[in-house]
Coordinates of all heavy atoms in Angstrom, one line a residue:
L1048 N 92.2 118.1 85.2 CA 91.7 116.7 85.1 C 91.4 116.1 86.4 O 92.1 116.3 87.4 CB 92.7 115.8 84.3 CG 93.2 116.5 83.0 CD1 94.3 115.6 82.4 CD2 92.1 116.6 82.0
L1049 N 90.4 115.2 86.5 CA 90.1 114.4 87.7 C 91.1 113.3 87.9 O 91.5 113.1 89.1 CB 88.7 113.9 87.6 CG 88.2 113.0 88.8 CD1 88.1 113.8 90.1 CD2 86.9 112.3 88.5
G1050 N 91.5 112.6 86.9 CA 92.4 111.5 87.0 C 91.6 110.3 87.5 O 90.5 110.4 87.9
P1051 N 92.3 109.1 87.6 CA 91.6 107.9 87.9 C 91.6 107.5 89.4 O 91.0 106.5 89.8 CB 92.4 106.8 87.1 CG 93.8 107.4 87.1 CD 93.6 108.9 87.1
F1052 N 92.1 108.4 90.3 CA 92.3 107.9 91.7 C 91.5 108.6 92.7 O 91.7 108.4 93.9 CB 93.8 108.0 92.0 CG 94.7 107.1 91.2 CD1 95.6 107.7 90.3 CD2 94.6 105.8 91.3 CE1 96.4 106.9 89.6 CE2 95.4 104.9 90.5 CZ 96.3 105.5 89.7
W1098 N 94.0 114.6 97.6 CA 94.6 113.3 97.4 C 95.9 113.4 96.6 O 96.0 114.2 95.7 CB 93.7 112.2 96.9 CG 93.2 112.3 95.5 CD1 93.6 111.6 94.4 CD2 92.2 113.2 94.9 NE1 93.0 111.9 93.3 CE2 92.1 113.0 93.6 CE3 91.4 114.3 95.5 CZ2 91.2 113.7 92.7 CZ3 90.6 115.0 94.7 CH2 90.5 114.7 93.3
H1099 N 96.9 112.5 96.8 CA 98.1 112.5 96.0 C 98.9 111.3 96.1 O 98.6 110.5 97.0 CB 98.9 113.8 96.3 CG 99.5 113.9 97.6 ND1 100.8 113.3 97.9 CD2 99.1 114.4 98.8 CE1 101.1 113.6 99.2 NE2 100.1 114.2 99.7
S1100 N 99.8 111.1 95.2 CA 100.7 109.9 95.3 C 101.8 110.1 96.3 O 102.1 111.2 96.7 CB 101.3 109.7 93.9 OG 102.2 110.8 93.6
Y1106 N 99.6 105.9 94.6 CA 98.4 106.2 95.4 C 98.1 105.1 96.4 O 98.4 103.9 96.1 CB 97.2 106.5 94.5 CG 97.3 107.8 93.7 CD1 98.1 107.8 92.6 CD2 96.7 108.9 94.2 CE1 98.2 109.0 91.9 CE2 96.9 110.1 93.5 CZ 97.7 110.2 92.3 OH 97.8 111.3 91.7
A1138 N 105.4 112.3 94.2 CA 106.3 112.1 93.1 C 105.4 111.8 91.8 O 104.3 111.5 91.9 CB 107.2 110.8 93.3
Y1140 N 104.5 109.7 88.3 CA 104.3 108.3 88.1 C 104.0 108.0 86.7 O 103.5 108.8 85.9 CB 103.2 107.8 89.1 CG 101.9 108.6 89.0 CD1 101.0 108.3 88.0 CD2 101.7 109.6 89.8 CE1 99.8 109.0 87.9 CE2 100.5 110.4 89.8 CZ 99.6 110.0 88.8 OH 98.4 110.8 88.7
R1161 N 103.5 111.1 84.3 CA 102.8 112.3 84.7 C 103.8 113.0 85.7 O 104.3 112.4 86.6 CB 101.5 111.9 85.4 CG 100.5 111.3 84.5 CD 99.1 111.9 84.8 NE 99.1 113.3 84.4 CZ 98.5 114.3 85.1 NH1 97.7 114.0 86.1 NH2 98.5 115.5 84.7
P1162 N 103.9 114.4 85.6 CA 104.7 115.1 86.6 C 103.9 115.1 88.0 O 102.7 114.9 88.0 CB 104.7 116.5 86.1 CG 103.6 116.6 85.1 CD 103.3 115.3 84.6
A1163 N 104.7 115.2 89.1 CA 104.1 115.1 90.4 C 103.1 116.3 90.6 O 103.2 117.4 90.1 CB 105.2 115.3 91.4
H1164 N 102.0 116.0 91.4 CA 101.0 116.9 91.6 C 100.1 116.6 92.8 O 100.1 115.4 93.3 CB 100.0 117.0 90.4 CG 99.6 115.6 90.0 ND1 100.2 114.8 89.1 CD2 98.5 114.9 90.4 CE1 99.6 113.7 88.9 NE2 98.6 113.7 89.7
L1165 N 99.5 117.6 93.4 CA 98.4 117.4 94.4 C 97.1 117.5 93.7 O 96.9 118.4 92.8 CB 98.5 118.4 95.5 CG 99.7 118.5 96.3 CD1 99.6 119.7 97.4 CD2 100.0 117.2 97.1
H1166 N 96.1 116.6 94.1 CA 94.7 116.7 93.5 C 93.8 117.5 94.5 O 94.0 117.2 95.7 CB 94.1 115.4 93.3 CG 94.7 114.6 92.2 ND1 94.2 114.7 90.9 CD2 95.7 113.7 92.1 CE1 94.9 113.9 90.1 NE2 95.8 113.3 90.8
Q1180 N 94.5 120.3 89.9 CA 95.7 119.7 90.2 C 96.8 120.8 90.3 O 96.7 121.7 89.5 CB 96.2 118.6 89.2 CG 95.3 117.5 89.0 CD 95.8 116.4 88.0 OE1 97.0 116.2 88.0 NE2 94.9 115.8 87.3
Y1182 N 100.7 121.3 90.2 CA 101.9 120.6 89.7 C 103.2 121.1 90.5 O 103.3 122.3 90.8 CB 102.1 120.7 88.2 CG 100.9 120.0 87.5 CD1 99.8 120.7 87.2 CD2 101.0 118.6 87.2 CE1 98.7 120.1 86.6 CE2 99.9 118.0 86.6 CZ 98.8 118.7 86.3 OH 97.7 118.1 85.7
Ligands
FE2_989 FE1 97.3 112.0 89.9

Side-chain angles (χ1 to χ4, degrees):
L1048 309 175
L1049 176 65
F1052 295 115
W1098 69 103
H1099 67 87
S1100 65
Y1106 288 82
Y1140 51 86
R1161 293 225 65 216
H1164 51 270
L1165 298 180
H1166 288 271
Q1180 298 186 32
Y1182 295 90

